[in-house]
Amino acid sequence: MKCGVNKDIDCAKRFGVFSFCIYLRMKRTILFTVVSLFLYFPLLSQDSFTEAEKEFILSGEKESPMRLYLITHTEDSILLRKESADIKVDKEDEVLQYFIRRLYKTVTDPKSMGVGIAAPQVGLSRRIIWVQRFDKEGFPFEVYLNPKIVQYTSLRQEGMEGCLSIPDLRDTVNRGYAILIEYDKLDGSHHYEMVEDFTAVIFQHEIDHLDGIVFTDHLSEEMENAEKGRVLASERATASKTPRADERWQQRASYKMEVDMDVKTDRLNGIQNLAYTNNSPDTLNSVFYHLYFNAFQPGSMMDVRSRSIPDPDGRVRDRIFHLDEDEIGYQKIKSLKYRGEAIEFEMQGTILEVALPSPILPGETVKLDMEFEAQVPLQIRRTGRDNREGIEYSMSQWYPKLCEYDYEGWHANPYIAREFYGVWGDFDVTINIDKKYTVAASGYLQNPNKIGHGYEDEGVEVPKIEGDKLSWRFIAPNVHDFLWAADPDYRHTKHQVPDGPMLHFFFQVDSTRNNWKKLPEDASKAFQILNKTFGKYPYKQYSVIQGGDGGMEYPMATLITGARSYGSLLGVTVHEAIHSWFQMVLGSNESLYPWMDEGFTSFASSYVLDKINEKNSLNPYAGSYFGYQSLVMADAVEPMSIHSDHYSLNRSYSVSAYSRGAIALNQLSYIMGEEKFYPAMLRYYNTWKFKHPNATDFKRVMEKESGLELDWFFEYWINSTHNIDYEISDVVAFKKGSKVSLQRLGKMPMPLDILITYSDGSQELVYIPMVMMRGGKGAEAWYGDVERSIKEDWPWTNKEYSFTLDKSPKEIESIVIDPSFRVADIDRKNNYFPSNSRKRGGMFGSNKKREEIRD
């Protein structure tokens, strides 16, 4: 169906009627009808603009730059401000004119509900525009039409910078709430702005895949019957029933905090204003906060656990038990308000429990305002003051942090020393501290040219600051935590990653400073490799900060100890930076699935370091395999499905999370074939970023990309302690050739690559898939041009299997199971025939060729 601009109006009308009939037939929501009925409507209204509309449209030349506008609407005036500009749009474009006419009506007609538009091609790029209207009492009307619109209005949660979601607009004008706007200027710089006291906001940003027009003039009957300012629970529930990534709902927490740090007493006072959006289909009657500092007190659960576990962390041991009053940590809540009214709360160790006087309904945003005070503990684990290298403040887990609520409910786990899980949100944090201190933090510093300390633009002269303190303001968008560190002796340097973030380095000048001078170049290489192989880093900054007690990841930053050899310094920097992909952007529940973060990060670390150091190793993950094998020999293996706090041994947790997690990926690359594995990793990242994926979500991506059924692998490797052990039990003459007999000694089955080398130097690769895979992998670059044959599938119920070769045993020089060393076979001695033929690499073609294909 094709309609012209000024022709065939009946065509558009017929298309709308046809769509309406389909709507009635399929009992869908009104979205399909609205989109269809009005798809060509902008082209039907060709009457001239009124004078008020003309004044409203645009001023200046025919081609006016148009990027970000803020409209403040009062009873007698409309203010249109141009905040930045970099793309020119023809103001006579008919679709654009229609948009403006609709927007003008929205902010002037009291009967008009509002408009949400996903704009088709306008000028040089596609954009998205969202508008919100408020009634006389300051309550917002909702623009949601159905769950699809929920997705459109949640684009910030999808990781697309700059797309403003309607939940961010729900706060009323009367209470003076603000929203966060982000945009780019022509010079490429990224900016953030807090907008206050608004009644309508238009925000537009480049989008690469949205088309169509969606709007409505008046409130629907169903919406009128709903409570003001609330999304229909039925619609949200509809969206939440499907596990697809594009419909996985996420809660939202927007923090605005200001803290005053007293460096003499190591205490701080803070104010936290939190806007919490319940995007779930559930009504919430309670909320919970983490109070991590409270773990650093004698008798805490963390203290008791460390003193009772057989192999305590050497950094903790009984140190918490022996802390003095001025060395402990605490977070005390001085007051808490909900919807502007003071409410009661209860502290249970590291968890603040809050029973709400009125529920938070689905789709509703509420305000939680808090005053708190804290004492920074002596550095023991991750957070604290005065670490062993003399860094004064490593401020992680330093503020009352809202617990996450997801499809599994609340995750209000006490802090025992393990991993973290948080709510996606935006942080606006102001830190007041002695002006001698340099502050490093998550997010972007908003006042660099007033602060200085290495943040100022080149050539800027920083003004002299009166008084004893500086106010550092950072904004961190779309993250689930906020870190800062401070020290008067920090040296601050920067390095730009090509087509990547600006890297910031904070370290003390000491005997290791030459290592820190060398680090930026290699760190930049790491980001470039990661962007290509595992997905694009979405933020414009990353900070490597000396501090903490080893290495620990946080959004847009890491804390690492710095007094190391260069190899160790590079290794810990790369490892912690890679967490930005698997924990800070994907954000799995690391407490439940630590292997999905630590393991994946360990795998990628070995991959990246191998490339930076140009080792081209046959198996850069060998260390992970040795760690796992040692745990098997110690009979200390536990299922990887255990919650990270509940492992019997610290060693079992570490090997399961790090080593076995890395091995899981390397074995998947073996099962799927590398040519499909790495595209699958990219697909996983791009599909599930900013959505808290679980193990099943990851498995399904691997299955879709490989075309294989992989339930069996996850059931065995993740949910059990079964191990892998195959042997070549016999090779005998058979007719005119040979019969090779294999036996599965371990309980976990695997498909097998078996390499046969003949006495004349020729080689043959035998591939044995499994029945329950429902398929197999293709030929891999691992084995170069070696001839490959595929044998009959091996049922897992059968412990024995045999296949035949065309040549006699006398013509066979060697047979080896898994020559690529990717299968975690716990006893490789029985993988060879004859047993004294064990060879290590270089036996199946060119590893260089494999690298070329993988790249």
Side-chain angles (χ1 to χ4, degrees), residues 288-297 300-302 331 346-353 400-401 403 412-416:
F288 301 86
Y289 291 78
H290 294 285
L291 304 175
Y292 292 112
F293 275 6
N294 291 353
F296 300 98
Q297 299 174 13
S300 70
M301 292 179 68
M302 183 174 177
Q331 287 162 331
E346 182 178 358
M347 287 198 301
Q348 290 285 347
T350 59
I351 297 296
L352 180 72
E353 301 179 355
K401 177 183 174 182
C403 298
N413 300 96
Y415 181 45
I416 308 297

Side-chain angles (χ1 to χ4, degrees), residues 236 249 251 278-284 360-363 405-407 409:
R236 295 304 307 216
W249 53 264
Q251 304 293 70
N278 178 18
N279 287 319
S280 82
D282 306 323
T283 297
L284 305 182
I360 308 174
L361 297 183
Y405 182 89
D406 65 13
Y407 62 94

Side-chain angles (χ1 to χ4, degrees), residues 804-815:
T804 60
L805 299 172
D806 293 334
K807 295 186 179 182
S808 69
K810 292 181 180 180
E811 297 176 274
I812 297 173
E813 179 181 311
S814 66
I815 302 176

Side-chain angles (χ1 to χ4, degrees), residues 177 253-258 270-276 289 366-372 426 428:
Y177 297 152
S254 180
Y255 291 87
K256 186 171 185 179
M257 293 186 284
E258 182 165 2
I271 297 174
Q272 180 186 101
N273 303 119
L274 174 63
Y276 181 57
Y289 291 78
V366 297
K367 295 288 281 187
L368 290 153
D369 301 310
M370 177 188 293
E371 294 183 5
F372 67 96
D426 301 315
D428 183 346

Side-chain angles (χ1 to χ4, degrees), residues 440-441 443-444 453-455 491-507 516-531 537-545 555-558 566 570 573-574 576-578 580-581 612:
Y444 310 104
H453 287 264
Y455 284 96
R491 181 178 179 182
H492 178 195
T493 62
K494 292 181 277 189
H495 183 93
Q496 180 66 54
V497 177
D499 191 30
M502 177 68 76
L503 302 181
H504 293 250
F505 299 86
F506 301 86
F507 56 95
W516 284 87
K517 288 181 180 179
K518 184 180 177 182
L519 182 61
E521 189 66 36
D522 281 341
S524 176
K525 292 178 183 177
F527 271 84
Q528 293 174 70
I529 295 169
L530 289 162
N531 282 340
Y537 178 76
Y539 306 106
K540 298 181 182 296
Q541 180 177 307
Y542 186 81
S543 296
V544 181
I545 308 166
M556 304 172 68
T558 179
Y566 182 70
L570 175 62
T573 299
V574 169
E576 303 308 335
I578 292 173
S580 292
W581 276 255
I612 291 177

Side-chain angles (χ1 to χ4, degrees), residues 666-677 705-710 712 750-754 765-770 773-783 788-791 793 818-823:
N666 205 36
Q667 290 190 129
L668 278 172
S669 78
Y670 168 81
I671 294 165
M672 299 166 56
E674 281 195 329
E675 288 77 2
K676 290 189 176 180
F677 171 75
E705 196 69 24
S706 68
L708 302 175
E709 186 172 321
L710 297 173
W712 63 273
M750 285 287 280
L752 296 181
D753 286 342
I754 301 176
L765 181 70
V766 169
Y767 174 56
I768 305 174
M770 297 191 305
M773 292 169 58
R774 305 300 171 195
K777 66 179 175 181
E780 290 186 279
W782 269 95
Y783 305 106
R788 179 176 185 257
S789 61
I790 302 175
K791 301 300 182 181
D793 292 3
D818 179 35
S820 66
F821 296 92
R822 286 177 287 174
V823 175

Side-chain angles (χ1 to χ4, degrees), residues 394-583:
S394 301
M395 300 296 287
S396 55
Q397 293 86 248
W398 60 276
Y399 62 96
K401 177 183 174 182
L402 195 70
C403 298
E404 177 64 295
Y405 182 89
D406 65 13
Y407 62 94
E408 295 182 305
W410 283 106
H411 296 274
N413 300 96
Y415 181 45
I416 308 297
R418 286 277 186 251
E419 310 301 348
F420 306 97
Y421 188 40
V423 188
W424 300 115
D426 301 315
F427 286 77
D428 183 346
V429 181
T430 299
I431 302 163
N432 302 304
I433 194 171
D434 188 304
K435 63 184 180 183
K436 296 190 295 293
Y437 285 69
T438 298
V439 176
S442 303
Y444 310 104
L445 183 64
Q446 299 300 291
N447 50 346
N449 293 332
K450 292 182 180 179
I451 290 292
H453 287 264
Y455 284 96
E456 68 273 16
D457 297 330
E458 187 175 354
V460 170
E461 184 176 345
V462 180
K464 184 178 180 180
I465 302 297
E466 300 296 332
D468 298 328
K469 291 188 175 183
L470 282 177
S471 293
W472 304 66
R473 186 187 177 203
F474 294 90
I475 286 180
N478 210 24
V479 295
H480 53 72
D481 203 356
F482 186 94
L483 156 78
W484 63 280
D487 192 88
D489 300 322
Y490 271 149
R491 181 178 179 182
H492 178 195
T493 62
K494 292 181 277 189
H495 183 93
Q496 180 66 54
V497 177
D499 191 30
M502 177 68 76
L503 302 181
H504 293 250
F505 299 86
F506 301 86
F507 56 95
Q508 290 181 335
V509 179
D510 56 17
S511 59
T512 63
R513 61 183 170 184
N514 289 332
N515 288 342
W516 284 87
K517 288 181 180 179
K518 184 180 177 182
L519 182 61
E521 189 66 36
D522 281 341
S524 176
K525 292 178 183 177
F527 271 84
Q528 293 174 70
I529 295 169
L530 289 162
N531 282 340
K532 175 183 176 182
T533 310
F534 297 102
K536 182 77 172 179
Y537 178 76
Y539 306 106
K540 298 181 182 296
Q541 180 177 307
Y542 186 81
S543 296
V544 181
I545 308 166
Q546 185 178 1
D549 60 358
M552 184 59 196
E553 69 277 3
Y554 297 96
M556 304 172 68
T558 179
L559 283 174
I560 62 173
T561 48
R564 303 165 175 262
S565 66
Y566 182 70
S568 177
L569 183 64
L570 175 62
V572 71
T573 299
V574 169
H575 181 91
E576 303 308 335
I578 292 173
H579 280 293
S580 292
W581 276 255
F582 297 113
Q583 179 58 18

